[in-house]
Amino acid sequence: MNDHLKLDIEVPANMAGRRLDQAAAELIPDYSRARLQSWIKGGQLTLNGATAKPKDKLFGGEQLSLRAELEVQGSWIAQPLDLEILYEDESLIVVNKPAGLVVHPAAGNPDGTLLNGLLHHCPSQEKIPRAGIVHRLDKDTSGLMVVAKTLPAQVHLVDQLKQRTVSRQYDALVQGYITKAGRVEAPIGRHRQNRLKMTVLDFGGKEAITHYQVRQRYRAQTLLRCKLETGRTHQIRVHMAHIRHPLVGDPLYGGRAKLPAEATGELIQALQSFPRQALHAAELALIHPSSGEKMHWCAPMPADMLALLDLLDRDQVE
């Protein structure tokens, strides 16, 4: 990745009257408006060779000059982790994250996260905000994540997430018997009493839409394929609990396991002790930030979910 940025652009006449930061965001779309504002304030992005303010008005015909060097974005440390990388090129990395791996350092998990492993795998990630991470999976959700390797790729992918051109599909094993496909549209926000939880809110929540299809019905559980239209924290977990079909094993939203009548002791034990929410990010599709090509990846269901499904399959025929 080139850490030294050099760019000269003439402001077109039709941008007369616009703020400098607004015009810069249109003329230099590879970088976020917040970063461009930072460069304007720091003097790396100049107007006619002089420092300016983001809110300065333009007349048209001015010369914008960008001379910037990407800086280290955090104090994280690189750590060797056994990452399962399904795809990598100069713009992005696609990782199959195992259950139990935290994505980003936080108070309870200062290191040993996916971010620390990415910095070891590709040290230049330290120059990108959040080491290129553009979306997250919960610690105990497995599956596919895309990571940007350059600032332009990160801006492009974040915009795709906003425009909903990134397709994310999940395998979810839920409690109860679901007969047909459906759609949950219910706004999500932080739970007012339990700050660890998210919940459906009548007022003040963010728009959240989940589509689901039935892949396999069992006697007291259903395997769904869920597709996110939005990407809120805990979205599938909250939406499935909201329609009274929480995920098997979910410690926050799951409640008591539903048990098939006269189930074997092995199946009862497996359902009651499944150690995480039975959720796996199985498919990811997006538009490549550099080539514009549509790309698609699949990650097979992990062993713990496959073993539980095998027990449920056997329960169907016994």
Side-chain angles (χ1 to χ4, degrees):
M1 181 176 74
N2 185 8
D3 293 344
H4 302 280
L5 307 175
K6 181 178 179 181
L7 200 60
D8 296 290
I9 300 174
E10 183 175 312
V11 177
N14 63 7
M15 286 193 169
R18 303 285 292 280
R19 284 173 51 128
L20 171 57
D21 57 350
Q22 291 174 333
E26 288 189 30
L27 296 170
I28 314 174
D30 282 346
Y31 303 98
S32 69
R33 184 166 167 181
R35 180 164 288 270
L36 291 167
Q37 287 174 334
S38 172
W39 282 336
I40 293 168
K41 293 172 184 175
Q44 293 102 324
L45 179 55
T46 59
L47 185 64
N48 288 334
T51 56
K53 296 178 181 177
K55 65 181 181 181
D56 285 352
K57 290 288 193 293
L58 299 174
F59 297 95
E62 295 95 336
Q63 190 76 15
L64 296 186
S65 297
L66 175 61
R67 301 290 186 273
E69 185 171 344
L70 300 184
E71 301 171 348
V72 173
Q73 294 295 304
S75 57
W76 312 298
I77 58 171
Q79 293 176 304
L81 290 180
D82 187 18
L83 301 179
E84 184 182 351
I85 294 173
L86 301 188
Y87 178 84
E88 182 174 7
D89 62 21
E90 72 287 346
S91 296
L92 51 83
I93 302 170
V94 175
V95 178
N96 184 19
K97 186 189 87 68
L101 179 63
V102 174
V103 169
H104 193 285
N109 298 94
D111 57 15
T113 70
L114 175 65
L115 183 147
N116 300 108
L118 287 169
L119 291 177
H120 183 270
H121 173 73
C122 186
S124 62
Q125 298 295 116
E126 70 176 3
K127 302 289 182 69
I128 308 172
R130 300 174 301 284
I133 292 168
V134 295
H135 67 115
R136 302 191 191 188
L137 294 177
D138 297 335
K139 173 186 175 182
D140 289 324
T141 298
S142 58
L144 294 168
M145 287 182 58
V146 62
V147 177
K149 288 182 69 177
T150 67
L151 264 176
Q154 187 177 48
V155 171
H156 195 283
L157 289 170
V158 168
D159 186 60
Q160 282 195 62
L161 287 162
K162 289 178 182 174
Q163 302 299 325
R164 303 178 183 177
T165 57
V166 175
S167 173
R168 291 167 289 167
Q169 298 192 50
Y170 293 70
D171 291 325
L173 182 65
V174 302
Q175 307 280 13
Y177 192 89
I178 296 179
T179 58
K180 60 182 180 179
R183 177 178 186 269
V184 184
E185 182 171 0
I188 288 175
R190 186 72 59 183
H191 195 286
R192 291 188 172 89
Q193 280 78 45
N194 185 345
R195 305 305 288 175
L196 295 176
K197 296 177 71 171
M198 308 300 288
T199 189
V200 168
L201 294 175
D202 294 329
F203 303 101
K206 293 182 178 179
E207 179 190 31
I209 302 170
T210 305
H211 303 265
Y212 60 88
Q213 292 183 316
V214 175
R215 290 190 60 193
Q216 180 69 50
R217 297 181 191 89
Y218 303 101
R219 291 200 294 142
Q221 283 76 32
T222 307
L223 179 63
L224 301 177
R225 173 56 64 95
C226 297
K227 185 173 182 180
L228 292 181
E229 194 170 316
T230 55
R232 307 303 173 203
T233 301
H234 297 179
Q235 179 172 316
I236 292 173
R237 300 166 66 187
V238 171
H239 273 175
M240 292 301 106
H242 179 64
I243 62 171
R244 303 184 188 282
H245 292 285
L247 270 65
V248 169
D250 194 325
L252 270 182
Y253 308 100
R256 185 177 296 177
K258 290 188 184 299
L259 303 175
E262 299 179 0
T264 64
E266 186 181 15
L267 177 57
I268 291 171
Q269 170 70 13
L271 287 169
Q272 290 180 335
S273 65
F274 198 74
R276 67 178 183 99
Q277 62 268 10
L279 185 63
H280 173 67
E283 292 195 37
L284 173 69
L286 51 82
I287 300 166
H288 193 279
S290 300
S291 69
E293 177 187 358
K294 290 183 178 179
M295 305 194 75
H296 177 258
W297 297 272
C298 298
M301 211 178 293
D304 60 348
M305 286 181 67
L306 287 173
L308 181 54
L309 293 181
D310 181 58
L311 288 174
L312 289 168
D313 282 329
R314 281 155 46 190
D315 176 72
Q316 298 277 75
V317 298
E318 288 176 356

